[in-house]
Amino acid sequence: MKASAAVLLVWASCVSASAMAGPDKPGGAAVIRTVDVTLPNGSLTFPPGVGSNLANAQCVICHSAGMVTRQPPLSFQEWKAEVAKMRAVYGAPLAVDEVDQIARYLTAINGKP
Ligand code: HEC
């Protein structure tokens, strides 16, 4: 996904510039520029696949998708334990059957046999 954000930079020199304004220093002129920023791919949402909607809805509430996708490959049982931990220990608001669905999805995108 390509996210583009317009960032407004205000060189906040107004205060100090006006304080120092003298006959040869016309202070108070703020310089406003916009820049386009392309954020790095991959860490914002999960790659498409069966269950990615669920992961995008449930697994980026507390941290980035990259926190999950950067993990080494795990087996289905290991992903299941990981998701169950998010639910039981950290309080991810998942229904019980969603644990399996997300674990299946994560095994599909980053699984080991
Ligand atoms: C309620 C908050 C919350 C939600 C929702 C949540 N997590 Fe986490 N997750 C955490 C916390 C807290 C950590 C630990 C962060 C740290 O160690 O800095 C973590 C860390 C992780 C890690 C890194 C390994 C580890 O065990 O620390 C993985 C993988 C992970 N989460 C997967 C998921 C998946 C998959 C989902 C979606 C089902 C999910 N998380 C949803 C809170 C959450």
Side-chain angles (χ1 to χ4, degrees):
M1 192 189 88
K2 203 169 201 177
S4 188
V7 179
L8 189 65
L9 294 180
V10 178
W11 295 104
S13 56
C14 316
V15 178
S16 58
S18 5
M20 296 183 336
D24 55 351
K25 284 185 185 170
V31 180
I32 297 174
R33 294 193 305 164
T34 56
V35 289
D36 278 329
V37 179
T38 303
L39 298 172
N41 244 351
S43 56
L44 299 175
T45 54
F46 286 89
V50 177
S52 60
N53 285 349
L54 196 55
N56 279 324
Q58 296 289 354
C59 303
V60 293
I61 301 172
C62 305
H63 50 67
S64 70
M67 169 78 110
V68 185
T69 55
R70 281 195 300 269
Q71 298 298 316
L74 300 178
S75 67
F76 173 74
Q77 286 306 328
E78 290 167 328
W79 274 124
K80 193 172 163 173
E82 188 64 42
V83 176
K85 179 175 98 178
M86 294 302 132
R87 182 172 179 271
V89 180
Y90 297 131
L94 292 168
V96 182
D97 64 312
E98 290 176 336
V99 174
D100 270 28
Q101 286 180 53
I102 292 178
R104 264 195 300 276
Y105 165 71
L106 294 173
T107 313
I109 61 161
N110 189 18
K112 70 174 185 198

